[in-house]
């Protein structure tokens, strides 16, 4: 089955490139770039192209985001191998899925280097607007040595736009306005960006993005109730060039989303609605120093603060008691990241320290229940004085992380060897109320460990290279895993570190002038194997795990492996990007990991016409079928069901009317194909995806 899919995939790519080669009439002297030529620092913390890094890393540019007029950052992942979104389809119901890791503690997310995390029952993890970012870099596979614990599945790094992304030669100031409309949910969106370089030393930028819509129409022609969008984002960013060698930067971004919505935004089925206020913000201060004549110093220092706050109120039905008058969930994180790179002959040594201080808050304000109906669990009589209490299912506390690392990149002729080592220590404390309630226990805990990484790349010929990577990873228990008391259970104070080991082998290919006088072909194939030991899992069943035993324990392990193929081809007038990914796995009982994503084949191709003033393209993504375990509510037993395969086709076009005006059109799900998503809780069969959506946008700059 795998070979037949690959054969079909490569045949599509070959036919497309040959057709274009035959029709090309003009050539350009410029060096053509493909997606794998995009520069990234995610994999090695030194600047390389995605292909040169010899690791599984991709970069999504702002041009790619704008190409399809994506209104959600998770819509940008379709063509990346073994990367997708869990949950949805509501805008606040998505989480990243990288090689089957989809929890917030397993996929590290940063914005301009500041750690960003949020986790709440039946809700997504990131709510920012894609229009704010110049790039999204995604590293697949364990990356603990360079980025820290919590990167078992991979790392997603967002980089905010700045004035240099808009300023043209000789320009000191300007603005760009965009207005758009989506047909499916009658979404109206718009943004205003102002940018300036008042002198040679200062760049400044300010931006506002707003989106409003009605409810979405699903691919089964039904309306997704309570899915309307009403959010806004702001971005402020500045850079001051102290000298030719030093830069000071500062940025602030904030996204708000306030509306009535379903309590459960990640899975199918109505749980009732709440009024939910969402606010995520990031503040960052950075300093870079890279003297031209000193190979020992290439310094980067960043300090900042991220905050994610969700407030729920006015619950309907059973949620009235669950939410109370108001429930508040917060993550407040302070991040310090200092890194330097020194070049010592054939060695490029990168070393640094990282520190985070994460505060987690879970509080509910409610009227006390004086009389409860134990048949319906509804409160029949309330008190008159509201009280604020900590949530046992969303325990608060603080977790401080300190890490130090060193990496040596050695180059000798055609051989590159990268070796790294990291030590990290966690200190976790509960709230004062929790400590008082469990005063006889040692509730302040520490966890620490070492992790190593080794990467070997050998350039066989100018075109072919082979590589192998071994990366160790770990994560400390989370605040909620340690202190959870839901259902009268004891906290999990005996929890230990969870480990992973990621092994990759692969081959890369890069060549020019394959079919024409000016083209580029790049390709990468990777086989990976990931093992997870001492996995921290949750069991709430009284039969398997009787109360008062802790809910969380290091009780599981698993192993998964897969393949990833990427083939990019580009000429001055044409590009085609093709990916294929497959992943399988088993747990400690040799049972399949049914929460893994389906096989995926993606083809993205486009062409430029009329002296590059018009670009048109298409994206075709096919996801295979997958078996999942589904709970039968009548028997309370799990049974295997199959989520059907499906193919989605999207079209897009961009027309530069003149130097100031641009018109874009994009159509998602052109054939209105009925399909279902992967659920956010446990990776089961999720809700239906969106039906056909015709999107338009006009922009002008002045």
């Amino acid at each position: 089955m795998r070979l037949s899919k690959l054969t079909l995939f490569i045949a599509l790519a070959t036919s497309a490139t040959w057709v274009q080669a035959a029709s090309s009439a003009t050539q350009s002297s410029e060096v053509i770039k493909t997606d794998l030529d995009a520069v990234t620092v995610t994999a090695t913390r030194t600047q390389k192209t995605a292909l040169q890094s010899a690791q599984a890393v991709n970069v999504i540019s702002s041009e790619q985001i704008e190409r399809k007029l994506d209104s959600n950052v998770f819509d940008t992942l379709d063509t990346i191998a073994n990367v997708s979104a869990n949950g949805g389809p509501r805008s606040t119901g998505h989480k990243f899925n990288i090689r089957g890791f989809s929890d917030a503690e397993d996929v590290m997310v940063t914005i301009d280097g500041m750690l960003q995390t949020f986790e709440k029952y039946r809700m997504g993890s990131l709510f920012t607007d894609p229009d704010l970012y110049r790039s999204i870099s995604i590293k697949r596979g364990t990356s603990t040595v360079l980025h820290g614990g919590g990167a078992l599945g991979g790392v997603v790094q967002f980089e905010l736009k700045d004035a240099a992304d808009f300023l043209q030669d000789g320009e000191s100031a300007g603005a760009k306005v965009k207005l758009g409309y989506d047909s499916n949910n009658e979404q109206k969106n718009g943004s205003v960006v102002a940018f300036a370089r008042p002198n040679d030393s200062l760049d400044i930028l300010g931006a506002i993005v707003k989106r409003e819509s009605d409810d979405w129409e699903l691919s089964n022609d039904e309306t997704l109730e309570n899915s309307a969008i009403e959010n806004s984002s702001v971005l402020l960013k500045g850079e001051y060039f102290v000298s030719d060698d030093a830069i000071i930067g500062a940025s602030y971004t904030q996204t708000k989303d306030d509306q009535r919505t379903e309590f459960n935004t990640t899975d199918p089925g109505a749980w009732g609605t709440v009024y939910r206020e969402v606010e995520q913000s990031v503040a960052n201060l950075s300093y870079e120093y890279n003297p031209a004549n000193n190979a020992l110093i290439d310094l980067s220092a960043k300090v900042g603060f991220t905050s994610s706050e969700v407030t729920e109120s006015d619950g309907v039905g059973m949620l009235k008691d669950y939410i109370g008058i108001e429930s508040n969930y917060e993550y407040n994180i302070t991040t310090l990241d200092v890194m330097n790179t020194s070049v010592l002959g054939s060695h490029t040594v990168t070393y640094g320290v990282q520190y985070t201080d994460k505060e987690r808050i879970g509080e509910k304000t409610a009227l006390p229940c004086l009389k409860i109906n134990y048949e319906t669990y509804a409160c029949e009589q309330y008190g008159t004085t509201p009280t604020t209490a900590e949530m046992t299912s969303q325990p608060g506390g603080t977790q401080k992380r300190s890490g130090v690392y060193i990496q040596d990149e050695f180059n000798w002729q055609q051989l590159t060897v990268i070796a790294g080592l990291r030590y990290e220590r966690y200190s976790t404390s509960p709230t004062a109320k929790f400590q008082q309630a469990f005063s006889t226990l040692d509730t302040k805990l520490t966890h620490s460990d070492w992790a190593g990484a080794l990467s070997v790349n050998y350039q066989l010929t100018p075109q072919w290279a082979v590589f192998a990577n071994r990366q160790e990873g770990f994560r400390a228990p989370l605040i909620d895993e340690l202190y959870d008391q839901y259902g009268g259970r004891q906290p999990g104070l005996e929890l230990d570190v969870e480990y992973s080991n990621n092994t990759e082998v692969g081959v890369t290919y890069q060549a020019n002038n394959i079919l024409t006088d000016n083209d580029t072909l790049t390709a990468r194939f990777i086989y990976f194997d990931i093992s997870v030991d001492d996995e921290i899992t949750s069991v709430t069943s009284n039969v398997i795990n009787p109360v008062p035993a802790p809910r969380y324990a290091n009780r599981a392990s698993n192993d998964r492996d897969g393949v990833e193929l990427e083939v990019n081809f580009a000429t001055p007038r044409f590009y085609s990007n093709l990916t294929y990914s497959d992943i399988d796995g088993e747990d400690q009982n040799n049972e399949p990991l049914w929460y893994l994503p389906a096989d995926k084949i993606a083809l993205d191709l486009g062409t430029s016409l009329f002296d590059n003033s018009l670009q048109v393209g298409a994206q075709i993504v096919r996801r295979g079928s997958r078996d999942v375990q589904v709970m039968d509510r009548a028997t309370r037993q799990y049974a295997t069901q199959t989520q059907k395969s499906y193919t989605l086709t999207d079209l897009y076009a961009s027309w530069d009317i003149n130097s100031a005006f641009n018109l874009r059109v994009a159509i998602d799900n052109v054939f209105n194909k009925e399909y279902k998503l992967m659920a956010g809780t446990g990776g089961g069969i999720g809700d239906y995806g969106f039906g056909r959506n015709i999107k338009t946008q006009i922009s002008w700059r002045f």
Side-chain angles (χ1 to χ4, degrees), residues 15-85:
S15 62
T17 54
W18 273 107
V19 168
Q20 173 60 27
S23 62
S24 288
T26 60
Q27 303 295 338
S28 170
S29 60
E30 65 176 323
V31 178
I32 303 303
K33 300 291 186 180
T34 72
D35 283 358
L36 290 177
D37 290 313
V39 175
T40 177
V41 296
T42 302
T44 61
R45 286 218 163 198
T46 55
Q47 284 197 353
K48 295 180 182 298
T49 68
L51 199 68
Q52 291 171 341
S53 69
Q55 296 188 33
V57 60
N58 296 85
V59 180
I60 303 170
S61 67
S62 59
E63 290 80 5
Q64 291 170 294
I65 296 172
E66 292 177 355
R67 182 185 296 165
K68 290 183 71 263
L69 300 178
D70 291 325
S71 60
N72 190 307
V73 296
F74 296 94
D75 295 336
T76 67
L77 310 176
D78 289 339
T79 60
I80 301 180
N82 270 322
V83 177
S84 57

Side-chain angles (χ1 to χ4, degrees), residues 9 25 41 66 129 149 190 302 307 335 357 443 453 458 478 498-499 512 531:
F9 193 53
V41 296
E66 292 177 355
D129 196 287
K302 297 180 179 180
S307 175
T335 301
D357 186 336
T443 58
Y458 188 75
L478 303 177
E498 178 180 321
Y499 297 94
N512 298 321
S531 62

